[in-house]
Amino acid sequence: MASNLVPITVAHGDGIGPEIMAAALHIIREAGARIEPEAIEIGERVYLRGINSGIEPIAWESLRRTKVFFKAPITTPQGGGFKSLNVTTRKTLGLYANVRPCVSYSPYVETKHPGMDVVIVRENEEDLYAGIEHRQTDEVYQCLKLISRPGSEKIVRYAFEYARRNNRKKVTCFTKDNIMKFTDGLFHKVFDEVGVEYPEFEKEHWIVDIGAAKLADTPEAFDVVVMPNLYGDILSDVAAQIAGSVGLAGSANIGDQCAMFEAIHGSAPRRAGQNLANPSGLLHGGILMLVHIGQPEVAERVHNAWLRTIEDGIHTYDIYKEGTSKQKVGTKELAKAVVARLGQNPQKLKAASYAKAPKQTVDHQLGATKRANKQLIGVDVFLQWNERNPTEFGKQLEKFNGDGVRLKSLSNRGVKVYPESFEETFCTDHWRAGFFAEQESGTLTHQQVVNLLDRMQKAGLDFIKIENLYTFDGQKGFVASQGE
Ligand code: NAD
């Protein structure tokens, strides 16, 4: 009956996208999925038609109506061109949680980690993916890393709720808060705070570099791992690859209102149009989608038929191994093999069970933000100056002291170079001059900052941006330069 069908928005994507989407849709339909796909076009082809954003209003309209998006990978131009449609979609639809289960299927798919079953929960909206980038001088470019308290609270709570609903035992957090003390420091702090509400779990935090090494070496030691956007992006590919193939893992992008399901890999343009690609990653995204739209019994049929196919040694090139595999197949043939096994269960691998599938969204009750007593105590003025002589520039900048403001230090790429510098320290044309209230523990007004900039522009200095330096309830809201 038509009214039974759940409308879903489908993008067939670029590169291998159309082939793997056709295969995944064929399987889930044959398994009895009650869906009504609405195709939209996004990405390269739309961009080439002259739509700079790569997505048209009609596509947004479909997404906002169906609230469920099944998406094949999209090519994102590197270094220029349109912004990542994946990132735009995730952020515009508020899909803050990216859940990526990475499971090994030993001995049927070769892996060095037979017992691997790790779920990466990646923050999906913030961090360096805000896409706020600037060229500021001839020599220096910047990308802003934004981490918010509500954003961190939402993703960390999601990770713990996911762990609770899926009977997981441990939740690990990765950050680099020894270096990024404020941004990653906040994420870690929120992990510790929210973790208190989930006493049943073992909890741990790793610095991301050694954590990544440990994950790649001993993934069995991890269960649910939550991390900021960039680390999660990189490490979920690593985790999927060491589980067997990047072509195997799917992901759910969950928001409060909408959700998007996809493979974790990209559009693999070199493999496109050859009936080679493994559709399993996207199919796993589809299984997560079926659970989300309330068709867990179909998800189970699909997943178990797929496990049986893998057990039967019917493998695409990326996981095919002489001796272990029985038959090397293309995208279409893999789909046919899965369809032929619908209704069957794996014999050795653990069968999937979604009978009691937990819902995938989480109810958030974000507390009201506590507003601190915020005091302006200084300003960092960033300037372009083309000589590589910090002492000379520091002396020039001291001439702007007065009106209750004084230069405290000058730094270059975060290293203090005035007063006192090492001749070994390399300087670019991008400088940060820290001006503070003249009086110890004094405050500044915005007008004093404007006056300082006015004096600088009259002297012909090129200030490229400022950052106000605040205290929040007496705590410094900025980090000192290295060497300060
Ligand atoms: P990729 O994941 O597309 O491919 C890397 C390699 O992995 C391929 O050459 C292939 O050897 C293998 N591979 C990937 N998927 C496979 C599959 N299903 N079956 C068999 N082998 C597979 O990574 P890339 O080459 O860095 O990116 C290509 C494009 O995809 C870029 O434009 C990138 O921006 C985009 N991308 C899109 C998404 C997305 O849509 N969510 C995610 C990542 C990358």
Side-chain angles (χ1 to χ4, degrees):
M1 239 183 4
S3 59
N4 262 345
L5 302 181
V6 177
I8 59 167
T9 303
V10 172
H12 292 262
D14 303 313
I16 58 170
E19 299 162 69
I20 59 174
M21 182 54 88
L25 281 176
H26 174 59
I27 297 168
I28 65 175
R29 277 187 159 135
E30 289 293 321
R34 299 175 299 283
I35 53 168
E36 191 174 32
E38 276 181 31
I40 60 165
E41 247 193 350
I42 59 173
E44 209 175 22
R45 266 163 293 162
V46 180
Y47 180 72
L48 293 176
R49 282 210 304 271
I51 315 282
N52 278 343
S53 64
I55 182 163
E56 292 179 282
I58 192 167
W60 284 125
E61 190 277 318
S62 170
L63 287 168
R64 295 179 77 184
R65 184 166 31 78
T66 68
K67 303 188 187 313
V68 181
F69 191 14
F70 193 27
K71 188 183 77 59
I74 297 170
T75 299
T76 306
Q78 282 167 277
F82 63 91
K83 281 200 162 190
S84 165
L85 253 300
N86 300 307
V87 177
T88 306
T89 317
R90 288 170 191 155
K91 286 167 59 168
T92 309
L93 298 178
L95 311 178
Y96 65 92
N98 193 331
V99 184
R100 300 181 155 189
C102 299
V103 181
S104 60
Y105 305 97
S106 178
Y108 306 100
V109 179
E110 200 177 72
T111 169
K112 294 192 183 88
H113 309 289
M116 180 170 174
D117 181 3
V118 176
V119 179
I120 308 260
V121 178
R122 162 187 172 195
E123 197 289 316
N124 222 12
E125 297 181 289
E126 304 195 336
D127 195 359
L128 289 155
Y129 289 61
I132 308 174
E133 293 192 287
H134 300 96
R135 179 175 182 176
Q136 297 177 316
T137 68
D138 288 305
E139 294 178 343
V140 175
Y141 298 67
Q142 77 164 10
C143 176
L144 284 186
K145 171 165 167 129
L146 298 177
I147 302 262
S148 76
R149 178 170 267 278
S152 303
E153 274 183 30
K154 281 172 81 170
I155 192 66
V156 168
R157 191 170 300 285
Y158 191 91
F160 279 110
E161 285 293 323
Y162 179 94
R164 187 173 269 176
R165 292 169 185 184
N166 293 281
N167 300 317
R168 296 281 176 157
K169 301 283 175 284
K170 178 159 117 180
V171 183
T172 305
C173 174
F174 283 1
T175 71
K176 186 82 185 168
D177 64 341
N178 53 336
I179 303 297
M180 284 158 278
K181 295 178 193 293
F182 272 36
T183 48
D184 281 23
L186 173 64
F187 196 92
H188 184 175
K189 194 164 155 206
V190 167
F191 176 76
D192 289 344
E193 285 170 13
V194 173
V196 172
E197 297 171 38
Y198 297 86
E200 70 267 40
F201 295 107
E202 190 187 334
K203 294 172 272 272
E204 59 179 17
H205 172 270
W206 291 78
I207 302 285
V208 63
D209 38 12
I210 188 62
K214 172 106 175 143
L215 177 68
D217 183 61
T218 329
E220 311 78 28
F222 295 96
D223 191 351
V224 174
V225 192
V226 62
M227 53 190 118
N229 206 338
L230 177 64
Y231 313 140
D233 191 359
I234 298 169
L235 292 181
S236 53
D237 268 32
V238 171
Q241 187 67 26
I242 63 171
S245 164
V246 75
L248 288 177
S251 84
N253 298 258
I254 306 285
D256 293 331
Q257 290 156 51
C258 303
M260 173 168 91
F261 302 88
E262 57 182 343
I264 77 155
H265 60 75
S267 57
R270 279 183 303 133
R271 310 283 176 195
Q274 301 159 61
N275 190 38
L276 274 177
N278 190 345
S280 302
L282 189 60
L283 185 64
H284 277 121
I287 292 168
L288 294 167
M289 175 182 74
L290 289 168
V291 174
H292 181 78
I293 62 174
Q295 300 181 19
E297 72 293 351
V298 188
E300 199 169 297
R301 260 166 81 74
V302 173
H303 201 162
N304 285 326
W306 178 85
L307 286 166
R308 183 61 184 264
T309 310
I310 293 299
E311 263 187 8
D312 287 347
I314 300 175
H315 295 167
T316 43
Y317 84 91
D318 56 317
I319 56 170
Y320 183 87
K321 186 91 191 154
E322 208 68 54
T324 318
S325 308
K326 300 255 162 31
Q327 199 185 340
K328 193 192 261 180
V329 292
T331 316
K332 285 184 189 153
E333 294 70 32
L334 186 83
K336 270 194 200 139
V338 176
V339 169
R341 286 163 181 76
L342 286 168
Q344 296 183 32
N345 278 349
Q347 292 177 312
K348 294 270 171 50
L349 291 170
K350 189 164 168 273
S353 167
Y354 294 104
K356 291 193 204 120
K359 73 173 185 148
Q360 295 180 53
T361 50
V362 162
D363 301 322
H364 290 282
Q365 279 164 349
L366 286 174
T369 300
K370 191 178 147 282
R371 302 290 164 195
N373 175 13
K374 185 177 168 191
Q375 302 272 0
L376 181 65
I377 63 161
V379 61
D380 273 342
V381 183
F382 290 78
L383 301 120
Q384 173 162 358
W385 194 66
N386 298 339
E387 316 296 321
R388 302 199 199 274
N389 183 340
T391 309
E392 167 62 26
F393 195 34
K395 281 189 185 141
Q396 277 199 35
L397 289 170
E398 279 190 334
K399 294 190 187 130
F400 298 98
N401 287 351
D403 186 34
V405 196
R406 76 183 160 83
L407 178 74
K408 188 172 171 213
S409 70
L410 179 64
S411 62
N412 196 292
R413 293 189 301 175
V415 183
K416 190 198 84 171
V417 290
Y418 182 87
E420 292 153 25
S421 63
F422 284 23
E423 61 188 44
E424 291 89 340
T425 308
F426 177 74
C427 291
T428 64
D429 59 4
H430 182 278
W431 305 80
R432 176 171 68 145
F435 285 87
F436 282 79
E438 217 162 46
Q439 313 249 307
E440 197 65 32
S441 21
T443 56
L444 292 182
T445 61
H446 283 84
Q447 189 60 54
Q448 283 171 292
V449 174
V450 172
N451 294 346
L452 173 65
L453 296 179
D454 188 49
R455 295 200 295 282
M456 286 182 166
Q457 71 89 19
K458 283 188 175 127
L461 285 189
D462 180 13
F463 56 84
I464 49 187
K465 76 160 187 176
I466 65 163
E467 286 284 348
N468 286 345
L469 305 176
Y470 295 103
T471 56
F472 291 78
D473 292 336
Q475 301 281 321
K476 276 186 186 163
F478 51 93
V479 179
S481 303
Q482 286 139 8
E484 207 174 334

